[in-house]
Amino acid sequence: MIRSRIVTVPRTGGKHRPCPTRAGGPASILRRLPLFCCLVFALLVSGTATASGHPRIGLVLSGGGARGFAHLGILEVLEELRIPIDAIAATSMGALVGGTYAAGTPVSEVQRKVIRADWDRMFEDDPDRAVWPTRRKQAEQRPTWDFTIGFGDGQFKLAKGVVEGQKVSLFIAELVQPSEEVEDFDRLPIPFRAVATNLTNGKMKVFDHGPLSQALRASMSVPGLFAPVEMPDGLYVDGGLVRNLPIDIARQMGVDVVIAVNLGSSYLGRDELGTLLGVASQMIAILTEQNVEKSLRQIDPEKDVLIVPKLGDISSGAFDQVERIIEIGRQAGREAAPRLRRYSLSEEEYRKWRQQHFGPPPPPPVIDDVRVAGLKRVNPELFVPLERDLEGKPLDRATLERDLSVLYGRGDFEQLNYQLTRHNGRNLLIVDAVEKSWGPGYLSFGIGFLSDYQGDTRFGARAIYNRTWVNRLGAEWMTELTVGNESSLFTEFYQPFRLDRAGFIAPYLDIGANPLSLFLDDTRIARFDVLRGTVGVDIGTTFGDTAELRLGPYGERVRFDLDTGDPFVFPEGTVNLSGVRARFLLDTLDSPYVPTRGHRIDVSVKRPLTALGADGEYTRASARLESAFSLSKHTFFGSLQLGSSLDREMPYFEQFPLGGFLKLSGYPNEIFRGNDMAYANILYYKQISTLPAPLGRGLYVGGSLETGKVWNTPGDGLLNPEKIRFGSSIFFAVDSLAGPFFVAFGLSGEGDTTVYILLGKP
């Protein structure tokens, strides 16, 4: 829309004196000077043309997912041809590219950032696992589908989309930073409009003001994949549903010529329409193409220029082909050069135009005040460290994004966005904290299956309910129920003493039943059922986001019953193992299942005490050290495990087991047990493919070399000789949303072979 300004020139007093000179004389010019100035001023404000009569040019960029990066190549050619852009109207990925350019970010800078971006992780909301709180890392050891049903306000709720768009929003904010404080899109270096669809009524929404990053995020919210952007007047999703090529919007901005870039839609093949996601994607493509056909009829072939990059079968999700797509855009721009050159400026005119629209980047603003909006359940004091890091200092985006990532890693928020604004001469940083609308209680599900194809099969179906923010200190009540041949019920109330969890108390109840086998050499001679019930309370502290120490008393009773076979020397019955326990955990791994970097140290000590009712005393101490590092897609992972009873005899079910996949591969599960144990392995695996972020991290192939020994075994080595053993494996692995999935072939040092299948955690 062209905004005109009416200027009123006041009349002066006195009588009118006719000028004695001719009509074109100095007196006549002086009388007409105010009117002349008004006309010149109105012309400059409306900007209908340059001084040389150059037409106003509008750029229209369509949506198309990853295909939209072709716009970057075309913008590069437009700059080479010295074509000034006076207005931009765009949709979806076109809005991201066009809005970034309109904000004053150089094309070369945008290209560099989108090429370097990790698009596999961009659509994964969670930050790196290293910044998660230790408690959340421990909860992840219980694999569940990354799909939660929330419970709040007396009803069950679902997430609004597969991806909330946290990382995408931060990425957009970084791209538009030269103009992030501008809320009137006509005041951007290039006037801009973004098109979105109001999900509440199906109507088109044209954003011409507001936070620019929010408008871009709304325009590109693909329904079903991205959660809609919620605003007071509606829920907004991808504008391609209503206007994927907004030529009419550009016309309304007062342009004389339109340069339109239509990316087209990549229809899915019939074999790709067998899933709900495939059908939904195809429906969106059909709706998009229908409204594009209407827009194309608005092209004036005499003066407008239509550019259609030859993207072929490149899909909208081909974010791994960014450089190729940009190059296709360059080629399309150069092919259109003969039609575009008529709108080129001279080198001097273009230099002046760029100076007028794209000045040097502004210095980082000094943040006078940080305000947090949108909190309902979460304690605002959680944001005090962020405020302390930013207030009174020039804006450090790396620090801001780090602090937001740490807060987001707690798992309480849909999004944590920010915007800069000026108020009463002060720079305000407003953090928009959108809490999960489907909380504060979360119900998740998981399955576990393990088989060594030698008679040991374990399975379980798991449900976990976690009630967060029980009080203002962030207390949580977590309950896990597993049903299968390894059934269990675990519930814990976790009460921090402070928001930073520097101190906490955690009473718990743990009831479980699992099978346990007894072997003579390689033959299973008996199977026992072990029923364990434990109640206790831990007092602990955390060390940042990487480590936790907890200790406390517990009461425990174990029932040891023969199921099948010969009991040999192990009596049945119930024993009391009440005592004290302690555990130290440090975890910086990027994945608990198939890590590519980081470390984990897990040290635990358990001490039954007769003073607390135990039938006997011993110390069960264990330590596990793990480390992973990668070179490109090649990962090396090493592990060392030690266990000891400190020269005491432990019950058979308490002894340290070895045998099974990655615990001496090639042998049956837990074939060896002893009061003391040492084990080490080294794994190599290579990532052969990535998975879309909602589905998991990747597919891997690899192998292992392993060695270990148990000693002080039952019957003084009568069941199994005490000696160093070796194992190895080759495997295929998937690090998925359901947890780990392994198919492995194991080879023991004696030449025995075993096949393993593992899904989740039984």
Side-chain angles (χ1 to χ4, degrees), residues 398-449:
T399 299
L400 172 59
E401 293 194 11
R402 181 202 65 201
D403 288 349
L404 291 178
S405 294
V406 170
L407 289 164
Y408 194 88
R410 293 177 57 94
D412 298 316
F413 301 98
E414 289 183 33
Q415 286 194 35
L416 285 172
N417 300 322
Y418 68 91
Q419 58 176 296
L420 285 172
T421 187
R422 294 278 295 174
H423 182 69
N424 293 333
R426 293 165 57 83
N427 291 320
L428 303 184
L429 176 71
I430 300 175
V431 177
D432 187 14
V434 183
E435 297 176 359
K436 286 183 175 178
S437 58
W438 58 96
Y442 307 97
L443 181 63
S444 56
F445 304 93
I447 57 175
F449 177 84

Side-chain angles (χ1 to χ4, degrees), residues 135 492 494 504 506 538-540 548-551 581-583:
R135 177 168 175 79
E492 178 187 66
Y494 180 86
F504 63 87
D538 287 338
I539 297 177
E548 176 188 275
L549 173 66
R550 58 167 65 195
L551 56 90
R581 72 170 193 173
R583 184 187 186 193

Side-chain angles (χ1 to χ4, degrees), residues 163-371:
V163 179
E164 295 300 324
Q166 173 66 15
K167 290 182 180 177
V168 171
S169 295
L170 293 179
F171 184 65
I172 294 173
E174 180 184 357
L175 290 176
V176 302
Q177 59 179 286
S179 299
E180 59 191 339
E181 295 185 71
V182 178
E183 295 199 2
D184 182 349
F185 294 176
D186 282 334
R187 294 180 55 209
L188 293 170
I190 299 176
F192 174 72
R193 301 290 185 269
V195 177
T197 303
N198 189 334
L199 197 59
T200 59
N201 57 25
K203 294 183 179 180
M204 178 175 65
K205 169 71 174 183
V206 180
F207 287 97
D208 60 3
H209 67 278
L212 178 59
S213 60
Q214 186 181 54
L216 303 185
R217 167 71 175 81
S219 182
M220 60 184 295
S221 295
V222 179
L225 176 60
F226 282 104
V229 174
E230 186 171 356
M231 299 183 186
D233 59 341
L235 295 173
Y236 293 102
V237 296
D238 198 307
L241 297 175
V242 289
R243 192 80 86 255
N244 199 48
L245 191 65
I247 293 174
D248 56 332
I249 306 303
R251 302 270 194 222
Q252 294 171 19
M253 297 174 74
V255 300
D256 304 307
V257 173
V258 166
I259 299 174
V261 184
N262 180 29
L263 302 175
S265 294
S266 56
Y267 289 114
L268 300 178
R270 183 168 181 173
D271 57 339
E272 299 176 276
L273 300 178
T275 65
L276 180 61
L277 182 61
V279 172
S281 299
Q282 193 81 329
M283 290 176 62
I284 293 172
I286 293 171
L287 291 172
T288 298
E289 281 304 296
Q290 287 178 348
N291 69 67
V292 166
E293 290 177 4
K294 296 180 181 178
S295 296
L296 289 175
R297 290 195 286 269
Q298 301 169 7
I299 293 284
D300 184 341
E302 296 296 324
K303 59 180 181 178
D304 297 336
V305 179
L306 175 64
I307 304 175
V308 182
K310 298 175 182 177
L311 292 163
D313 59 356
I314 295 177
S315 72
S316 59
F319 289 92
D320 58 339
Q321 301 184 53
V322 175
E323 292 185 79
R324 179 188 172 197
I325 294 171
I326 292 174
E327 179 57 32
I328 292 174
R330 289 193 194 100
Q331 294 172 3
R334 286 166 184 158
E335 289 175 3
R339 292 173 289 150
L340 293 169
R341 281 197 179 92
R342 53 182 162 165
Y343 301 120
S344 296
L345 294 178
S346 68
E347 291 186 7
E348 178 62 20
E349 287 177 321
Y350 191 69
R351 184 185 62 79
K352 291 181 179 179
W353 179 85
R354 286 196 63 83
Q355 286 179 345
Q356 180 183 356
H357 291 80
F358 300 101
V366 175
I367 303 302
D368 298 305
D369 192 13
V370 177
R371 299 181 184 178

